[in-house]
Amino acid sequence: MSQSRSLPFTPRTLLLAGLALLAGLVLVIAGFTAYQLWPRVIDTSALAGEGDYRLPAPAPGAPQVELGYFVTGKNVSPQAFIFSGGSLLKEHTSIFSGVVVRHPEATFLFEGGIGSRIAGEFERNFSGLNAKLFAYEGKTPALEQLSAAGLTQADVEFVLLTHLHWDHAGIIKDFPQTPIRILEAEYEGAVTAGKIGNPGFFPEQYMDPAINWDFVTLDPVPFGPFERSKDIFGDGTAVLVELGGHTTGSLGLVLSRSPQERYFFIGDVSWSAEAVSIPAEKTPFARSLVDRNAEETARTVALLHEIAKANPGLAIVPSHDEAAFAALPRL
């Protein structure tokens, strides 16, 4: 006599299992999103009152420094993707910037945007998710914008970069004879990162024996809270310091047009001047993608926060913050 066997799964149990799986997936996504967007204010208590964060003014009689910025590309995203605690409803425009600096001793290019070869470089180095995450809208390359302003490559005595991520180093090959200034530690770190396939670096941009490297050496001369610095012209109008965390050797530049008009260009240590004023880190996902050392980067942002408080009139200018550049003169 045969016995009937019940099916291990009925339509009802399948439906319940599917709903449970969907609910679990929703909870995972919600948890991940909450973790990414949860406001995280950097604790600055260890820095408060622990030092003098004032930056020395230029030497008496220092010459007037002129500057003009330009934009070679941009992308737009919710502010919440830029720094922890940012608004999902407020847009943040990230730009690929460059600044022409005119000093009586030299005209130089600080940064320069994404370069004229970026379309091919981007396609060869990014695909899939990375291509979507780092998508951008390109504009006129630096060379064309300099030409429109009456400048040639020969007028630019050197190009100064904060670091060698792809959206900064692309300018190098547009100035093939011009000295390129960075910290040597940054170059060495970029070579290592390129060998292991770090997506932030495009080795084809900087692995060329024809590049005219002019490595910066910081002097053991304090500049405010920084133990080492490089006074480019010896008059305090353009001073370099190292900003730790984002890459192996990221540089910051303090430009002074007058004691009342000073700019601290901080590269990509933070993407937002508003984040420095809070102070807040990048979101966890962004930190994992772009910052070499997240904890060190947070300490640098905290230091910049204290410096901004101690120096009225000093503008913090991240390389990609359109709002921070709005107060600067255009090229």
Side-chain angles (χ1 to χ4, degrees), residues 11-12 19 31 34 178 206 212 236 311 327:
R12 181 172 181 276
L19 290 173
T178 308
Y206 54 85
N212 185 6
N311 294 269

Side-chain angles (χ1 to χ4, degrees), residues 63-119:
Q64 179 76 31
V65 175
E66 299 298 334
L67 57 90
Y69 84 94
F70 57 91
V71 177
T72 62
K74 69 175 184 177
N75 57 46
V76 180
S77 61
Q79 189 187 61
F81 294 178
I82 301 300
F83 64 87
S84 180
S87 172
L88 273 171
L89 304 179
K90 185 177 179 181
E91 285 189 340
H92 177 95
T93 300
S94 296
I95 60 172
F96 301 96
S97 66
V99 182
V100 173
V101 182
R102 294 183 176 94
H103 184 280
E105 292 188 19
T107 293
F108 69 93
L109 183 61
F110 176 67
E111 305 282 44
I114 49 180
S116 62
R117 297 171 172 81
I118 190 59

Side-chain angles (χ1 to χ4, degrees), residues 22-243:
L22 179 60
L25 182 60
V26 168
L27 286 173
V28 169
I29 294 174
F32 176 80
T33 303
Y35 175 72
Q36 295 297 321
L37 303 183
W38 190 264
R40 294 173 177 82
V41 176
I42 300 172
D43 182 9
T44 62
S45 59
L47 293 175
E50 290 299 316
D52 188 354
Y53 299 104
R54 291 173 298 176
L55 302 182
Q64 179 76 31
V65 175
E66 299 298 334
L67 57 90
Y69 84 94
F70 57 91
V71 177
T72 62
K74 69 175 184 177
N75 57 46
V76 180
S77 61
Q79 189 187 61
F81 294 178
I82 301 300
F83 64 87
S84 180
S87 172
L88 273 171
L89 304 179
K90 185 177 179 181
E91 285 189 340
H92 177 95
T93 300
S94 296
I95 60 172
F96 301 96
S97 66
V99 182
V100 173
V101 182
R102 294 183 176 94
H103 184 280
E105 292 188 19
T107 293
F108 69 93
L109 183 61
F110 176 67
E111 305 282 44
I114 49 180
S116 62
R117 297 171 172 81
I118 190 59
E121 293 168 346
F122 192 94
E123 185 176 352
R124 287 189 292 272
N125 289 274
F126 279 152
S127 61
L129 180 60
N130 280 336
K132 293 184 179 356
L133 287 173
F134 297 106
Y136 66 93
E137 175 189 339
K139 294 184 179 295
T140 308
L143 279 176
E144 293 183 35
Q145 297 198 47
L146 265 62
S147 178
L151 294 168
T152 67
Q153 288 190 46
D155 295 318
V156 178
E157 296 200 23
F158 60 89
V159 176
L160 176 63
L161 300 178
T162 58
H163 62 293
L164 290 177
H165 274 161
W166 68 274
D167 49 343
H168 297 256
I171 193 69
I172 293 174
K173 290 189 176 179
D174 286 345
F175 290 82
Q177 307 303 320
T178 308
I180 307 296
R181 294 189 180 180
I182 59 168
L183 286 177
E184 188 168 11
E186 176 64 17
Y187 173 76
E188 293 172 349
V191 170
T192 300
K195 288 179 180 178
I196 63 175
N198 185 309
F201 296 90
F202 293 177
E204 64 189 275
Q205 294 178 332
Y206 54 85
M207 293 295 291
D208 186 336
I211 295 172
N212 185 6
W213 295 111
D214 183 15
F215 294 124
V216 172
T217 300
L218 298 181
D219 300 319
V221 178
F223 184 70
F226 299 98
E227 295 181 357
R228 299 187 303 154
S229 64
K230 183 69 174 181
D231 188 342
I232 296 176
F233 301 112
D235 56 20
T237 58
V239 180
L240 292 169
V241 294
E242 186 171 2
L243 300 177

